[in-house]
Amino acid sequence: MSKEVAPWASPIARSRIAEVAAGLTDLSPEGVSETVRGALRDHARKFDAEGIVLYAGTNLMSPAAREVADSLVSSRPSMGWPGEKYQSGLDHLDTLEVLAPTLVARLLGARFAEVRSHSATMANLAVYTALTEPGDTIAVLPERAGGHTSHHAVGAPGIRGLRVVDLPYDADAFDVDLDALPEFLEREQPRLVVIGASLLLFPHNIAAIAELVEDTPLLYDASHMAGLVAAGRFQRPLAEGADILTFSTYKSFGGPPGGVIATDDAALAERLSTAVFPGLTANYDAGRLAPLAVTAAEIMADEGAYADRCIANARILAAVLREEGFTVAGAARGFTDSHHVAVDVGDGRAAMDRLADAGIYLSAIGLPWQAPGEPDRGLRIGTQEVTRRGFGEDELRRIAAMMADVLLRDADPATVRKAAVRLRTSL
Ligand SMILES: *Cc1c(COP(=O)(O)O)cnc(C)c1O
């Protein structure tokens, strides 16, 4: 193929893109279908049949949720509220459009849930759009403390023209530095404070933060914690003092991709929802709502059992990784109160690549104690997928041993991969 896909990308990305492009020779419909089928088959083998997925930002939808996920519904546009759709004939989708937000709101103990955003990033952009003006300041967690792209100037706040400042952070407490917060707020005058992160080992002290930010709206981004929060575990952000909750529906929550905004405040709900529609979405993907509703109903019926297993598995894995010789974050506090585990490996990306060669998939992450600008020191692990697949202590011990073989004992990743595939296919 002649044209480069992204000539502005990094040299590493450009070289990988060129390598893929060189293999794409047959662009006929048949050729493309075959290429696509092959890619999907190999991807499924890697992740769904053979791989050990410890990546924290994913999950397996339940069989019942998968059964109702229908891509044909996703290609039926749906615009506006039930009863006043732009298109005619969508009355059956009305059922989904009432059921999904009703269940999600009930699950979160919130009065209102807006479920039409296509991602948490878009949900966060809707919050910024509703509550700030271009030029305003928002305060967010630093990247090394798990502050997400969609909180930082490079992401959605930059699109809104916001000035983004990092909240003071206490690396020992794994939380906002409460002592430094009053002076910071006085100086920076943020219009919105954002907490909730891509790595959360311990709950935020929301009540104390909410008291100090006073009337400034407090957004808790529960993208990673939503499955636990919905199950009544980890923390209850709205009840503890956050004004708004946003999250991704496909991470620990275990549903289809999408974003949710929840709040108890009717006036706020109207502004946020109006920013989603007609603000940032016209037609939206109604096909997501069926699996979202089924997932929400299952979490409700489960009464926290799955969330408890995820947390218990994370604590076991963390303890065993430490026995194996790893530096595991949060050791003094029992490692974690969530399904996340963080390991300080010095060079997170190199470790992640070696583990991928061994059939163990996860990601690197910044750690609170690393120097500003230093490459990610950590590996982030989430137990939500292996827990759903039925992994328990025995399997987690074997995973920790494999990780140590690859990263601490210099074993050949290809050899370890055979053991990883055996473990994965044994369940
Ligand atoms: C993953 C993540 C998001 C982004 O979610 P998308 O649905 O992929 O847009 C937003 N916030 C946090 C804290 C995240 O970890």
Side-chain angles (χ1 to χ4, degrees):
M1 296 212 292
S2 52
K3 292 237 176 59
E4 253 200 281
V5 170
W8 57 88
S10 73
I12 292 175
R14 287 177 68 192
S15 116
R16 172 62 185 148
I17 291 168
E19 178 186 40
V20 174
L24 303 177
T25 45
D26 183 353
L27 299 186
S28 69
E30 299 75 26
V32 168
S33 290
E34 199 184 308
T35 302
V36 166
R37 277 199 304 270
L40 292 176
R41 182 192 59 227
D42 294 346
H43 175 79
R45 177 170 355 103
K46 195 169 197 174
F47 280 98
D48 298 317
E50 297 186 344
I52 293 178
V53 179
L54 298 178
Y55 177 60
T58 185
N59 214 331
L60 266 187
M61 280 207 289
S62 76
R66 262 180 283 166
E67 196 186 312
V68 298
D70 185 339
S71 56
L72 286 181
V73 177
S74 289
S75 61
R76 298 292 180 200
S78 177
M79 179 162 149
W81 292 109
E84 53 173 35
K85 291 279 177 200
Y86 177 75
Q87 306 92 339
S88 61
L90 296 178
D91 30 309
H92 299 299
L93 297 188
D94 291 349
T95 307
L96 306 180
E97 294 184 22
V98 176
L99 183 61
T102 301
L103 280 170
V104 170
R106 183 177 300 184
L107 191 53
L108 297 168
R111 281 182 69 200
F112 304 98
E114 167 57 70
V115 301
R116 293 174 294 182
S117 286
H118 291 124
S119 69
T121 297
M122 293 300 288
N124 286 340
L125 180 56
V127 176
Y128 308 144
T129 304
L131 302 186
T132 66
E133 296 295 330
D136 283 349
T137 297
I138 65 168
V140 309
L141 292 170
E143 280 179 61
R144 66 179 194 287
H148 187 256
T149 315
S150 66
H151 307 166
H152 282 271
V154 52
I159 304 276
R160 184 62 177 158
L162 300 176
R163 178 176 163 264
V164 181
V165 290
D166 283 351
L167 286 160
Y169 194 77
D170 179 344
D172 293 324
F174 290 95
D175 204 348
V176 175
D177 183 340
L178 294 172
D179 293 334
L181 188 57
E183 193 266 329
F184 167 88
L185 293 168
E186 181 64 31
R187 186 177 70 239
E188 301 292 352
Q189 299 286 322
R191 291 288 302 273
L192 175 72
V193 172
V194 184
I195 56 174
S198 298
L199 173 66
L200 268 187
L201 301 173
F202 304 104
H204 285 301
N205 189 345
I206 300 176
I209 297 168
E211 195 181 323
L212 292 172
V213 305
E214 295 178 358
D215 295 336
T216 309
L218 180 62
L219 165 63
Y220 185 109
D221 182 341
S223 283
H224 275 272
M225 294 300 127
L228 306 187
V229 165
R233 303 301 191 265
F234 196 65
Q235 63 186 146
R236 303 286 294 182
L238 294 174
E240 291 167 36
D243 300 292
I244 307 157
L245 185 71
T246 56
F247 63 91
S248 303
T249 50
Y250 63 94
K251 298 181 181 173
S252 64
F253 197 82
V260 169
I261 309 173
T263 180
D264 282 332
D265 180 309
L268 203 50
E270 179 176 358
R271 286 165 72 192
L272 296 165
S273 180
T274 305
V276 173
F277 174 83
L280 292 164
T281 40
N283 296 292
Y284 75 104
D285 179 1
R288 285 176 23 238
L289 297 187
L292 180 62
V294 168
T295 303
E298 287 179 336
I299 295 174
M300 217 178 281
D302 184 57
E303 295 182 335
Y306 165 66
D308 287 339
R309 283 199 305 278
C310 290
I311 298 167
N313 272 346
R315 290 185 175 141
I316 291 169
L317 183 59
V320 186
L321 285 167
R322 188 153 108 146
E323 281 167 34
E324 289 282 0
F326 284 104
T327 304
V328 184
R333 289 173 67 180
F335 303 110
T336 184
D337 286 344
S338 75
H339 61 299
H340 281 175
V341 175
V343 184
D344 189 340
V345 289
D347 183 345
R349 270 207 93 83
M352 146 182 149
D353 288 344
R354 267 181 77 76
L355 288 173
D357 289 340
I360 297 172
Y361 305 104
L362 41 57
S363 63
I365 191 126
L367 292 175
W369 44 88
Q370 73 180 44
E374 185 187 5
D376 294 344
R377 293 191 59 88
L379 287 179
R380 182 188 62 184
I381 295 168
T383 55
Q384 72 291 338
E385 178 164 334
V386 290
T387 299
R388 194 158 267 200
R389 290 199 188 277
F391 281 45
E393 177 160 357
D394 288 351
E395 292 79 18
L396 295 168
R397 282 190 175 277
R398 287 167 65 187
I399 292 174
M402 289 181 222
M403 291 176 67
D405 285 345
V406 173
L407 299 179
L408 303 178
R409 297 193 277 266
D410 210 27
D412 176 15
T415 310
V416 175
R417 187 172 184 283
K418 293 194 184 107
V421 173
R422 265 200 309 280
L423 173 61
R424 173 66 188 81
T425 50
S426 71
L427 280 183

